[in-house]
Amino acid sequence: MARVHNFNPGPAALPLAALERARDELIDFRGSGMSIIAHSHRGKEYEAVHDEAIALIRELLSVSDDYHVLFLQGGASTQFAMVPMNLLPAGKSADYVITGGWSEKALEEAKIVGTVRVAATTAVGGKYTRIPKQSELELDPNAAYVHITSNNTLFGTEWFDFPDTGKVPLVADMSSDFMWRKFDVNRFGLVYAGAQKNVGPSGIAVVLARKDLVEGGRKDIPKVFRYKTHADNRSLYNTPPTFSIYLVRNVLSWLKDQGGLDAMEKANREKGRLLYGTIDENADFFRAPVEKESRSLMNVVFRLPTEALEEKFVAEAKKQKLVGLKGHRSVGGIRVSTYNAVSLESVQVLTTFMREFAKANG
Ligand code: PMP
């Protein structure tokens, strides 16, 4: 089988080693005579996988005992609702920093639950090309929390230095840049990430939640939506998506074998250097709309001189097995998603193609 160079924004490329392991264990999991999918979530075989996945997250990110590591269903969008349901009590307000379409969606959900403020927005005519500076944030010192989107998947902007929110807990949607590098979890009250970019398949979210916030969370919401319910039950309150968590385990164990998050960061920075370098060297043909210091290392967004050339670019790239390059429908242009499982070689093939395309069509 000829595998393609997959630059999809999510669901996205997964490491071949993690998929091969799943293939090998699919029918007969470790000599148990049945698939991992068919094992009980209360049985020792599955529980070992579940605990290993949690332990790998703790180890790779040095997550302290002050935090719960949870696997929750419903992807990142469910977290848009669960965060305010748990952490935004009546009489309090939450601050949202708006840097793209996903922060807009998070804000919309929070508005349904309680009182919210926009602490900053970088929207200009419905488009976002940068992350705000600390001095632009109008933070409420009494807010229940401050919410940011650490990487804006659609617009290709990323926070490299997280904001200082003082005593107010910082909550981050890290769906599209979770585990591309190490970060200090202790700076956050809560972090959530849909798994389908850097760590696994779609449908689940990884949540890192400070224990005191979980304990103090609202009790006037259905039990199944309380972080505390899932924390008290090690994410085994109800039947979890066992196969998805199994795959996350495979991806994280691959990540550890590669040298962990330091190795990931090095590779991701090199991929970004190559891509943005190619764009900047051909600035008469490619145009990156994002301000330099906000350029995402996960989703590299750029335009060509015309939409017709962008279509031709996507079609010709596909013939060379370079797929998933079309920009989001709300943004247009080209988007190259270069999550952990996208190899440096794939990016090299793409940048060679980009230079040739610019030369032939410029
Ligand atoms: N937040 C961000 C930053 C995303 O990129 C996405 C999905 N692309 C979501 C939230 C929504 O995730 P899900 O589809 O898992 O609900």
Side-chain angles (χ1 to χ4, degrees):
M1 173 190 148
R3 285 178 59 84
V4 298
H5 302 284
N6 180 359
F7 300 102
N8 272 337
L14 290 177
L16 184 58
L19 297 175
E20 284 174 340
R21 187 173 179 185
R23 177 200 59 200
D24 294 346
E25 294 183 337
L26 185 65
I27 308 287
D28 183 8
F29 181 69
R30 294 193 184 161
S32 64
M34 64 169 115
S35 172
I36 185 66
I37 311 174
H39 271 283
S40 165
H41 62 298
R42 309 273 176 218
K44 66 177 187 335
E45 289 85 357
Y46 174 71
E47 283 212 19
V49 169
H50 187 91
D51 291 343
E52 189 187 342
I54 293 171
L56 278 163
I57 293 173
R58 282 201 179 278
E59 181 188 339
L60 290 162
L61 281 171
S62 309
V63 182
S64 80
D65 281 344
D66 295 338
Y67 289 78
H68 293 291
V69 175
L70 308 173
F71 288 116
L72 301 178
Q73 306 188 43
S77 299
T78 301
Q79 295 309 306
F80 293 166
M82 270 181 80
V83 165
M85 284 166 86
N86 282 269
L87 305 183
L88 180 52
K92 283 276 223 179
S93 152
D95 277 354
Y96 277 71
V97 181
I98 309 301
T99 49
W102 294 112
S103 0
E104 286 173 4
K105 287 221 161 99
L107 174 73
E108 275 167 35
E109 287 293 81
K111 269 186 194 162
I112 296 170
V113 177
T115 308
V116 290
R117 279 177 74 245
V118 172
T121 173
T122 54
V124 177
K127 302 250 187 247
Y128 298 83
T129 57
R130 66 186 187 90
I131 296 300
K133 293 190 175 51
Q134 175 83 34
S135 58
E136 293 175 74
L137 308 181
E138 290 174 19
L139 298 173
D140 167 7
N142 296 313
Y145 60 85
V146 180
H147 181 282
I148 65 166
T149 312
S150 61
N151 183 75
N152 297 281
T153 327
L154 315 183
F155 291 95
T157 63
E158 188 170 10
W159 293 77
F160 292 100
D161 298 312
F162 297 115
D164 181 359
T165 57
K167 287 198 171 58
V168 179
L170 178 58
V171 173
D173 171 4
M174 287 200 187
S175 294
S176 49
D177 69 344
F178 187 56
M179 296 194 111
W180 77 272
R181 64 163 176 183
K182 275 194 187 130
F183 67 95
D184 183 5
V185 177
N186 300 313
R187 294 216 27 210
F188 294 84
L190 187 143
V191 168
Y192 62 92
Q196 69 268 31
K197 288 111 182 0
N198 265 339
V199 293
S202 58
I204 52 168
V206 179
V207 175
L208 314 177
R210 224 172 63 201
K211 287 182 177 170
D212 62 305
L213 293 177
V214 170
E215 281 305 314
R218 277 170 60 173
K219 308 286 183 297
D220 58 342
I221 57 171
K223 220 173 154 186
V224 73
F225 295 128
R226 293 180 208 161
Y227 289 121
K228 184 163 164 48
T229 303
H230 299 284
D232 287 348
N233 292 282
R234 290 176 30 248
S235 302
L236 288 161
Y237 167 68
N238 61 332
T239 319
T242 53
F243 192 54
S244 297
I245 295 169
Y246 161 82
L247 274 167
V248 169
R249 191 284 308 262
N250 286 6
V251 172
L252 296 178
S253 110
W254 165 84
L255 203 158
K256 189 178 162 183
D257 289 346
Q258 299 303 297
L261 289 172
D262 290 337
M264 283 303 125
E265 174 167 3
K266 193 161 170 261
N268 284 318
R269 288 198 183 277
E270 180 59 15
K271 289 184 280 180
R273 199 187 60 75
L274 268 175
L275 275 163
Y276 288 114
T278 307
I279 293 166
D280 293 342
E281 280 157 23
N282 297 276
D284 49 345
F285 191 73
F286 299 117
R287 184 174 54 82
V290 171
E291 285 189 5
K292 274 197 174 147
E293 56 279 15
S294 301
R295 284 175 166 183
S296 169
L297 290 176
M298 298 287 107
N299 311 99
V300 176
V301 169
F302 58 92
R303 304 297 311 233
L304 271 63
T306 64
E307 284 185 17
L309 276 171
E310 288 169 349
E311 261 176 49
K312 187 176 172 195
F313 180 91
V314 170
E316 288 196 8
K318 200 168 174 194
K319 287 188 205 145
Q320 301 204 20
K321 298 195 160 50
L322 298 156
V323 306
L325 294 168
K326 201 168 155 40
H328 190 266
R329 59 189 184 280
S330 65
V331 181
I334 307 295
R335 170 173 52 175
V336 186
S337 299
T338 57
Y339 304 120
N340 290 343
V342 176
S343 68
L344 186 59
E345 293 73 53
S346 287
V347 172
Q348 282 161 342
V349 174
L350 174 62
T351 49
T352 302
F353 169 77
M354 284 168 69
R355 279 193 297 272
E356 284 166 2
F357 190 90
K359 211 165 158 195
N361 296 278

